Structure formats: C-alpha cells, structure tokens
C-alpha cells in the first residue's frame, strides 16, 4: 500500500458543470476525511466517514456537495453546478479512527472553475 | 469552544539557527496533539504527535515538540534550521466531540528559512 491516493490531481471545469473526485485510503484505515484548502490557509473540514457511515458534514457544505463511501473503502466527492468559489485544493485523509492516531493525507485534487 | 491557535502567520529564520513554531490549544479533557508540514502543491505530511508520557517528542526531519500542560502549548522546534524546512506548518488537536472525536486545525504558520 503506497498511501492515500486521489484522482484526478488537477481538474479544470466550466462553471455549472458537475465534477467528481475519488479517494482511495490506506486499506486498513476505517476513517476517511475530506477537506478543502485554499491558498495559504489551513484545511477546512468538509465531512468524514467511519467505515461506510458518513458521521459528520460541515455546515459550510452546501447541498451541491455530496460524498459517498460505499463498502467502506474508496470515497467520492461530487460537486454539482460548480461555482468559481469552489476553486480550491480538495484533500482526502484517512486514519485508523482512534483519538490518538494521525491522519495520512493524499496529494489532493486541485479544482479550478472557470 | 475547542480551538487551536498558531499566533504567527510567518516565521523567518536564518539557516543554521534554531527555530520555533508556536501552537496553543483549548480543549476539554486530555489533548492529543499533532504537527503536520505541507510543502508547495503537496498534501499534508505527519511530523510528530504527543499522546502521553515524555513532554518532549521527536519526529521526522529532526523536528521535536514540547508539550506544556500548564501553558496549553505544543511548540514545534528544531535546533538547526535548513533551507529545505521552508514550508507551511499546521498544528492540530484530536479532541472528544459528543460520543466521537474530531481533529481541530490551526490556521498554519509559514516558515521561511533564509540561506
């Protein structure tokens, strides 16, 4: 296992289009996070899963955003009707799901909405 | 409210000098503290963590951090800075939330090491 992988690394889309990102966590990790990060800022929490259950979703996440983790393995993050304000780096992380374990991050997907 | 503060947006250090990146926290219960580093256009990389025990923890790339319970701080340190240490550094705390737990992040500190 080479760590958390995200696909694609870069995505340019026109405003109004839908986009979907994929995250493959470290195989034995049961917790999976999605974050959004803009330039020079810290990670902004979007949502997380414990196995296949989505346990928390940020209030900042509009109805245009949806995430799934079928079978508790890989996860997808979909953004519908993209807006220019959605342009950011989308980070996925996974962990063993206990209070004291660190999260491992993927390289991120950079979204540019034009 | 539970929070993490990194009071310095940017820290400038000359190569070879010691560096400190500050982090303070406010959480209920025992904190589990983490430092991550982010190089340009990359994801975050775990550096080190404090769970329990010795207040001085050592991590990757020669970094260490000192947990101070009375000052609720977890400052990141390195005895001799390298130009390659220039990056964004994030402090995070794992804290209980209802019946679960959450990761709370600081805003980040940009570390610039000048040759």
């Amino acid at each position: 296992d080479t760590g958390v992988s995200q696909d694609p690394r870069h995505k340019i889309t026109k405003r109004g289009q839908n986009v979907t990102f994929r995250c493959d966590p470290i195989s034995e990790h049961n917790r999976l996070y999605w974050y959004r990060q803009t330039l020079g800022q810290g990670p902004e929490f979007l949502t997380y899963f414990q196995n296949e259950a989505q346990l928390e979703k940020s209030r900042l996440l509009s109805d245009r955003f949806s995430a799934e983790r079928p079978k508790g393995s890989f996860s997808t993050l979909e953004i519908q009707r993209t807006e220019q304000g959605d342009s950011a780096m989308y980070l996925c992380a996974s962990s063993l799901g206990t209070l004291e374990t660190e999260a491992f991050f993927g390289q991120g997907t950079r979204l540019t909405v034009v | 409210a539970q929070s993490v503060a990194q009071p310095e947006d940017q820290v400038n250090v000359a190569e070879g000098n010691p560096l400190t990146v500050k982090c303070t926290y406010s959480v209920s219960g025992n904190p589990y503290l983490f430092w991550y580093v982010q190089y340009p256009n990359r994801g975050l990389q775990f550096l080190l963590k404090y769970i329990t025990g010795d207040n001085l923890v050592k991590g990757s790339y020669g970094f260490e951090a000192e947990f101070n319970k009375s000052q609720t701080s977890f400052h990141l340190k390195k005895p001799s800075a390298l130009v390659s240490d220039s990056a964004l550094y994030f402090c995070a705390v794992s804290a209980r939330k209802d019946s679960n737990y959450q990761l709370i992040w600081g805003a980040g500190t940009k570390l610039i090491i000048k040759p």
Side-chain angles (χ1 to χ4, degrees):
Chain A
D1 196 312
T2 57
V4 179
S5 62
Q6 292 186 245
D7 183 69
R9 291 290 307 278
H10 304 274
K11 179 70 176 179
I12 300 174
T13 190
K14 291 183 178 179
R15 189 174 52 186
Q17 297 294 305
N18 299 343
V19 294
T20 300
F21 309 142
R22 177 179 170 125
C23 172
D24 287 272
I26 294 172
S27 57
E28 62 267 27
H29 286 181
N30 53 24
R31 184 166 284 208
L32 186 148
Y33 302 86
W34 283 101
Y35 290 92
R36 179 169 62 191
Q37 187 181 30
T38 52
L39 198 61
Q41 300 298 311
E44 177 185 31
F45 170 75
L46 294 179
T47 188
Y48 83 88
F49 293 83
Q50 184 85 9
N51 299 312
E52 66 274 12
Q54 188 174 17
L55 295 186
E56 187 173 348
K57 189 174 174 180
S58 168
R59 287 171 291 177
L60 299 173
L61 214 60
S62 76
D63 291 341
R64 297 184 297 107
F65 288 72
S66 62
E68 294 182 341
R69 193 184 181 195
K71 303 179 182 177
S73 55
F74 73 92
S75 176
T76 57
L77 177 70
E78 181 183 18
I79 309 174
Q80 296 181 327
R81 305 181 302 282
T82 52
E83 302 172 356
Q84 286 190 321
D86 297 331
S87 296
M89 177 77 88
Y90 290 84
L91 297 171
C92 176
S94 69
S95 75
L96 284 170
T98 61
L99 198 62
E100 67 272 18
T101 53
E102 60 272 24
F104 293 83
F105 282 80
Q107 301 274 46
T109 294
R110 181 166 295 286
L111 173 66
T112 302
V113 182
V114 297
Chain B
Q2 306 193 103
S3 64
V4 174
Q6 293 183 241
E8 302 152 317
D9 291 336
Q10 183 169 308
V11 171
N12 298 298
V13 177
E15 187 177 27
N17 283 1
L19 70 86
T20 299
V21 182
K22 296 179 180 177
C23 172
T24 58
Y25 63 90
S26 173
V27 298
S28 54
N30 292 322
Y32 299 94
L33 298 152
F34 304 83
W35 275 102
Y36 288 81
V37 60
Q38 187 175 32
Y39 298 101
N41 299 313
R42 303 290 298 273
L44 282 77
Q45 296 178 35
F46 168 74
L47 271 182
L48 50 79
K49 66 182 178 182
Y50 172 81
I51 303 301
T52 187
D54 193 347
N55 290 343
L56 186 66
V57 294
K58 296 186 183 297
S60 308
Y61 313 120
F63 283 92
E64 55 190 28
E66 186 170 13
F67 172 64
N68 187 316
K69 188 173 183 179
S70 62
Q71 297 185 2
T72 61
S73 67
F74 188 55
H75 299 332
L76 182 70
K77 300 180 180 184
K78 188 172 183 180
S80 179
L82 300 172
V83 173
S84 58
D85 293 329
S86 299
L88 264 175
Y89 290 81
F90 293 96
C91 181
V93 61
S94 182
R96 294 255 177 230
K97 181 183 179 183
D98 301 324
S99 59
N100 218 311
Y101 76 92
Q102 62 176 338
L103 270 176
I104 303 167
W105 293 86
T109 298
K110 186 175 184 179
L111 177 64
I112 298 176
I113 309 299
K114 298 180 179 178

